[in-house]
Amino acid sequence: MLKNVFSPITIKGKTMKNRLAVAPMVTNYCNEDGTCTEMFSAYHETKAKGGFGMIITEDFTVRPRGKGFKHLPGLWNDEQIPGFKEFTKRIHKHDTVLIAQIYHAGRQSSKMVLGEAPEAPSAIPCPFSPDMPEELSVEEIKKIITEFGDCARRAEDAGFDGIEVHGAHGYLISQFMSSYTNKRTDEYGGSLQNRIRFAVEIVKDIRSKVSKDFIVGYRISADEHVTGGRNIGDTLTIVPFLEEAGIDYIHVSAGVYRSFDDIIPSQYRGHSWNTDAAGEVKKITKLPVISVGRINDPRLAETIIASGKADIVAMGRQSLTDPETPNKAKEGRFDEIRNCIACHHGCVKNLLNNVPIQCILNPTLGRESKVALEKTEAPKNIMVIGSGPAGLEAAITAASRGHRVKVFEKNRWAGGQFRIGAVPPGKGEMINYINWQLNELKKLNVPVLMETEVTPELVKKEKPDVIFAATGAVPIIPNIPGIDRPNVVSAHDVLAGNVNTGNSIVVVGGGCVGAETANQLANYLKGVTIIEMLDAIAGDEIVVPRWDLLEDLEKNKVRICTKTTVDEITDAGVKVSGAVNEVIPCDTVVLAVGAKPVLGLADTLKKEGYDVRVIGDASKVGLGGEAIMEGFEVGRTI
């Protein structure tokens, strides 16, 4: 079925067994001095075992002042080589082509990371950094060029099959290439030829220091998607110069930090959205072209390659969520592939906080050598109450270890709040994860009894040794005059399809749940107003999904009243005060002011002497990733 994906391709004598590559992603898994760690090695080895034909490791820094994050790998001195030499040996055992991406962050860093000001072509700060960068002198530019070459030489000494020059995403090389960030008037600024000089000289310096069979790739943003930045036309003009300088493949990405939503798009963005740009590059070069960008299914990769738009497909976050994606696809086990939902809550959130990344759907990420599931020597009868992500994850993990597990759910559908969270626009892929969990339980022969409410009598009949109480949460009902009116409903009931609304709606609460519910209703062409007491809405969402949500709300003409509180719900509408003082007419009032744990049954069962482990929102109302991790841990340690 995937004849193109699973056909080999050879670059500089190195043969990839398939066309699936791991895209480079910052993990913060290395030591602060740039040396290798077991965490870094085990993380990448898991992907190699999972069948990827190529792994492009992230952001090897060419000099300490080039770091954009604190715990990046580095090859700026020879002392860093031995650790990575052992690393490359581990990866090569699995027949994987291994590429080290090398880079300098330029202005896209900070004093917090570097201990000094970043350096850049021009004194123009990055929107994500508070610090003014220092302009590089020509002497320093020449030095950095040689440092790229030296870094590549060390990568070859360490056993890598090649390097990828990071000329994308607004980092230093990209900064020189774009008039958006380069305002120099010397030989490294101004005209196109001057702006690409830095990149061309880097490639030539690398070529002079590595063997002829060593792969030299190049990553480029086809379009920077900022006013005054490079576009696809500029990129098509630049690529032949890079090819002439000596690169062996071109990796087509997009964006700079100001257009961060193009570098790491959220679930609001369509699949393989950047592939057409790769196709344009493919038309003007004979080099292998890599496409990347929201590709989370090998069948998407197959169509991209079959269309002729790319030779190789890179999967970044998909390799975090399921590092075994290639092997499962090759064996036709598509329903066993756990798909990335582009939520940003584990990977990007941690990245922006300069801590090791996680994946909310993969509790083992970053802990691959520490959390192997061991078979139990004392199988227990485990009753799981609730089929939200925490309960299902606990059931999967416990059953995988040999425990006898049953899951009980009082509702028609599994998934709990996670399923309801998939209802608003742009969030539909969250359902895929619940489907994956149910499929895993089916493989493990774990019964999932739907529309079965657990009572103390049922528990007595089942005689469990342990109970996992994943009973979830219910909406908080605030003490507001008029709250008991029949036209007042919860966001939970609206998204679950339990109630309908009128055409004029006030949503009370502008957190993520309230904002997404408002977007859902406005998408149905209803008039919606959000009331939020804080100074901004959706403050609990991550940067890029929040940008996308706010853009959608604006498109759907949702009125947003911040720094405003609800005083009363009356016949005339909702009376508010603060930044806005008026009565807002409406047919329906939707409450989205938080949730509280459901603990009644768990407390009763504890009093009756049962061993009850409370998990998920029933333990503490939070995000899906926290619930999944809690479910995994209770299943792993029982």
Side-chain angles (χ1 to χ4, degrees), residues 2-22:
L2 303 180
K3 64 178 182 179
N4 291 291
V5 162
F6 289 103
S7 63
I9 184 171
T10 300
I11 306 174
K12 278 295 181 78
K14 313 294 192 307
T15 299
M16 291 174 58
K17 60 193 173 190
N18 59 52
R19 306 297 184 95
L20 297 178
V22 174

Side-chain angles (χ1 to χ4, degrees), residues 205-225:
D205 192 80
I206 291 169
R207 269 280 161 239
S208 72
K209 293 174 179 175
V210 299
S211 67
K212 62 182 179 63
D213 295 328
F214 192 68
I215 298 170
V216 177
Y218 193 96
R219 198 176 206 195
I220 194 166
S221 289
D223 195 316
E224 294 183 326
H225 296 287

Side-chain angles (χ1 to χ4, degrees), residues 406-420:
K406 278 188 180 180
V407 179
F408 297 81
E409 170 57 54
K410 69 178 181 180
N411 294 309
R412 178 185 179 187
W413 303 109
Q417 302 285 352
F418 207 78
R419 185 191 75 84
I420 292 170

Side-chain angles (χ1 to χ4, degrees), residues 140-455:
E140 277 299 306
I141 291 171
K142 298 292 187 184
K143 186 176 180 182
I144 291 172
I145 290 168
T146 65
E147 288 170 343
F148 268 93
D150 293 342
C151 184
R153 186 264 302 166
R154 293 188 187 101
E156 185 167 23
D157 290 346
F160 285 90
D161 298 305
I163 58 91
E164 178 179 278
V165 177
H166 200 342
H169 299 171
Y171 294 121
L172 185 64
I173 297 174
S174 174
Q175 289 161 32
F176 271 95
M177 291 174 68
S178 176
S179 55
Y180 168 66
T181 42
N182 185 346
K183 310 298 179 181
R184 303 175 73 95
T185 57
D186 59 10
E187 65 265 41
Y188 289 99
S191 68
L192 174 69
Q193 195 63 45
N194 283 354
R195 284 185 281 113
I196 67 173
R197 189 184 308 279
F198 185 58
V200 168
E201 290 182 353
I202 283 172
V203 173
K204 288 181 176 179
D205 192 80
I206 291 169
R207 269 280 161 239
S208 72
K209 293 174 179 175
V210 299
S211 67
K212 62 182 179 63
D213 295 328
F214 192 68
I215 298 170
V216 177
Y218 193 96
R219 198 176 206 195
I220 194 166
S221 289
D223 195 316
E224 294 183 326
H225 296 287
V226 289
T227 302
R230 284 190 303 102
N231 64 16
I232 185 65
D234 299 317
T235 296
L236 297 180
T237 305
I238 290 167
V239 167
F241 290 96
L242 298 172
E243 187 172 357
E244 183 181 359
I247 66 170
D248 300 309
Y249 72 75
I250 190 81
H251 187 171
V252 182
S253 188
V256 298
Y257 271 21
R258 180 59 186 87
S259 50
F260 196 60
D261 50 331
D262 294 310
I263 298 175
I264 312 178
S266 80
Q267 53 205 160
Y268 288 84
R269 187 72 62 90
H271 294 126
S272 55
W273 72 277
N274 196 43
T275 295
D276 285 346
E280 291 301 304
V281 173
K282 182 72 179 160
K283 292 175 184 177
I284 56 94
T285 182
K286 294 181 179 178
L287 296 176
V289 172
I290 301 178
S291 178
V292 70
R294 274 280 277 147
I295 303 166
N296 66 350
D297 190 315
R299 290 165 292 194
L300 285 171
E302 175 69 15
T303 59
I304 291 167
I305 297 167
S307 72
K309 293 180 179 179
D311 303 284
I312 299 166
V313 171
M315 292 180 165
R317 288 170 291 169
Q318 177 57 29
S319 73
L320 304 180
T321 307
D322 194 338
E324 294 184 75
T325 295
N327 286 346
K328 291 177 180 178
K330 188 174 184 180
E331 295 165 11
R333 297 184 287 132
F334 294 102
D335 57 354
E336 295 181 29
I337 295 174
R338 181 170 45 193
N339 297 115
C340 168
I341 59 174
C343 69
H344 286 217
H345 277 262
C347 51
V348 178
K349 177 183 177 181
N350 286 24
L351 179 65
L352 295 178
N353 288 324
N354 247 307
V355 297
I357 68 166
Q358 295 175 302
C359 172
I360 71 165
L361 306 187
N362 178 6
T364 66
L365 185 73
R367 308 191 298 162
E368 288 84 358
S369 61
K370 296 180 179 179
V371 293
L373 297 181
E374 298 178 357
K375 288 291 183 180
T376 181
E377 296 180 358
K380 298 180 184 296
N381 294 320
I382 298 176
M383 185 179 200
V384 180
I385 307 174
S387 67
L392 295 182
E393 182 64 35
I396 291 166
T397 309
S400 297
R401 296 182 54 231
H403 292 292
R404 297 177 291 271
V405 182
K406 278 188 180 180
V407 179
F408 297 81
E409 170 57 54
K410 69 178 181 180
N411 294 309
R412 178 185 179 187
W413 303 109
Q417 302 285 352
F418 207 78
R419 185 191 75 84
I420 292 170
V423 173
K427 307 300 287 291
E429 283 183 84
M430 292 170 64
I431 288 290
N432 296 1
Y433 177 65
I434 301 301
N435 286 344
W436 176 84
Q437 287 187 308
L438 292 172
N439 184 67
E440 291 296 295
L441 290 173
K442 183 178 180 181
K443 278 171 44 192
L444 292 164
N445 295 314
V446 173
V448 180
L449 287 75
M450 306 304 297
E451 298 182 276
T452 304
E453 186 163 4
V454 175
T455 62

Side-chain angles (χ1 to χ4, degrees), residues 3 72 76 83 106 123 327 345 364 424 571 615 617:
K3 64 178 182 179
L72 292 177
W76 63 75
N327 286 346
H345 277 262
T364 66
D571 288 336
I615 58 175
D617 279 351

